[in-house]
């Protein structure tokens, strides 16, 4: 068995997929477990987290599920209490949860702005606040926050773009504050990956246009994002903190 994360215990938030198939939140815990981590799969819908655990167990990995809404501080505290009760330690917090808003500047309502900021940014603050004391106890660890290329390039979906840029700011701020505790904090910015999150209502034509948009003209998947998370979670990244790892087939460096 591969063992890049052997001995480590990880929490993954949003560790399911909203539809059939494998999204970012499902691929990361599956790959963590393949690399010998023990994983707590957290989702607001228990059955989605259970599905990921079943996938992991089918590959003889170790995982368990927990229902929680990570926009609530009490739930985040319970997530961290549970990981300690079940596995005795915490090494990796993978903040995958995020929702999209498709509204432009003038369409965005106050209510939508608040909802996207709560789910995409506040959730990462709350899980981190709950996890940091336990990561300190473990002598260090890794926090990985899922951002998006929407946070670093002009993007018409205003609240989503602002939230994902906020994730990067939060990541850098936390990285500076936690480095002395050997807690590394990094972000991943996926490009146009094809996952259940975006598949709903997408025409075959748009899917093909997304595929061709990046210089590497091959469709990105949740697995591509998951492998980036494995690297950042592992000791291979021991000297890497406060960075944004862009996983987009070259989309963001393209002039085309
Ligand atoms: N798919 C893409 O093209 C793309 C591109 C860039 C970034 N991303 C980012 O990837 C992340 C998610 O990707 P995914 O494929 O896992 O999406 P997904 O929509 O399938 O979400 C995964 C899970 O998150 C759970 N969830 C949502 N809100 C929650 C909450 N408050 N508490 C607990 N669980 C909650 C959902 O129930 C779902 O099972 C997001 O941060 C998203 O912004 C995706």
């Amino acid at each position: 068995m591969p063992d890049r994360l052997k001995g480590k215990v990880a929490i993954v938030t949003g560790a399911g997929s909203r539809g059939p198939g494998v999204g970012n939140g499902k691929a990361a815990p599956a790959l963590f477990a393949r690399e010998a981590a023990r994983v707590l799969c957290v989702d607001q819908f228990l059955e989605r987290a259970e599905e990921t655990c079943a996938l992991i167990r089918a590959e003889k990995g170790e995982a368990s599920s927990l229902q929680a809404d990570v926009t609530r501080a009490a739930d985040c505290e319970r997530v961290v209490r549970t990981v300690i009760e079940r596995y005795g330690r915490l090494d990796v917090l993978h903040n995958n949860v995020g929702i999209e808003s498709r509204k432009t500047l003038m369409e965005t309502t106050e209510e939508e702005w608040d909802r996207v900021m709560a789910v995409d940014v506040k959730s990462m603050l709350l899980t981190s606040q709950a996890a940091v004391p336990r990561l300190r106890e473990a002598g260090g660890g890794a926090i990985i926050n899922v951002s998006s290329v929407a946070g670093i390039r002009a993007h018409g979906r205003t609240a989503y773009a602002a939230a994902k840029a906020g994730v990067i700011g939060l990541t850098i701020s936390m990285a500076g504050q936690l480095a002395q505790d050997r807690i590394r904090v990094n972000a991943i910015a996926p490009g146009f990956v094809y996952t259940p999150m975006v598949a709903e209502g997408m025409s075959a034509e748009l899917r093909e246009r997304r595929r061709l948009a990046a210089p590497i003209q091959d469709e990105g998947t949740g697995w591509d994002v998951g492998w980036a998370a494995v690297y950042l979670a592992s000791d291979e990244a021991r000297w890497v903190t406060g960075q944004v790892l862009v996983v987009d087939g070259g989309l963001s460096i393209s002039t085309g």
Side-chain angles (χ1 to χ4, degrees):
M1 194 187 207
D3 62 359
R4 293 166 69 192
L5 302 177
K6 195 172 171 61
K8 295 193 192 296
V9 171
I11 292 170
V12 178
T13 71
S17 279
R18 70 172 66 191
V22 176
N24 298 332
K26 215 172 184 177
L31 294 176
F32 285 178
R34 257 185 226 172
E35 294 294 338
R38 292 175 290 161
V39 189
L40 181 67
C41 296
V42 177
D43 203 288
Q44 64 182 346
F45 296 106
L46 186 63
E47 63 277 15
R48 294 183 182 177
E50 294 273 11
E51 210 177 283
T52 303
C53 290
L55 188 82
I56 291 172
R57 291 192 197 110
E59 297 183 349
K60 310 256 182 290
E62 198 174 336
S64 62
S65 58
L66 184 71
Q67 187 283 331
D69 176 351
V70 291
T71 63
R72 295 164 190 238
D75 278 26
C76 295
E77 292 289 344
R78 183 166 54 82
V79 166
V80 173
R81 265 200 318 275
T82 304
V83 85
I84 299 299
E85 278 162 21
R86 291 187 190 170
Y87 301 111
R89 60 183 290 130
L90 177 63
D91 304 280
V92 177
L93 170 64
H94 183 60
N95 281 318
N96 169 71
V97 159
I99 52 168
E100 210 186 17
S101 160
R102 300 190 175 181
K103 303 260 187 339
T104 61
L105 173 67
M106 300 310 285
E107 292 164 351
T108 302
T109 61
E110 193 177 341
E111 193 185 24
E112 179 132 358
W113 174 271
D114 288 346
R115 188 174 67 91
V116 172
M117 288 297 160
V119 178
D120 291 11
V121 194
K122 187 177 86 171
S123 68
M124 298 190 184
L125 171 79
L126 296 178
T127 54
S128 300
Q129 286 176 332
V132 160
R134 300 308 187 176
L135 293 170
R136 282 190 178 129
E137 275 173 20
I143 299 176
I144 302 155
N145 298 325
V146 178
S147 176
S148 167
V149 289
I152 55 171
R153 287 290 180 272
H155 196 271
R157 295 167 177 183
T158 299
Y160 187 65
K164 290 304 185 179
V167 169
I168 293 172
L170 178 68
T171 299
I172 294 170
S173 167
M174 281 169 46
Q177 293 177 64
L178 298 174
Q180 65 197 16
D181 298 314
R182 296 200 172 262
I183 300 171
R184 299 177 296 100
V185 190
N186 292 288
I188 298 175
F192 290 155
V193 286
Y194 188 72
T195 61
M197 176 177 170
V198 298
E200 202 182 309
M202 187 187 290
S203 66
E205 193 225 331
L206 178 55
R207 182 176 176 181
E208 181 62 1
R209 266 199 282 135
R210 282 168 53 104
R211 184 181 77 80
L212 296 175
I216 297 180
Q217 295 190 335
D218 194 6
E219 192 166 68
T221 71
W223 300 108
D224 297 307
V225 179
W227 282 118
V230 168
Y231 166 66
L232 292 172
S234 78
D235 294 339
E236 295 159 20
R238 60 173 283 277
W239 216 48
V240 179
T241 197
Q243 301 305 305
V244 182
L245 179 47
V246 179
V247 180
D248 70 347
L251 178 73
S252 56
I253 51 107
S254 173
T255 53

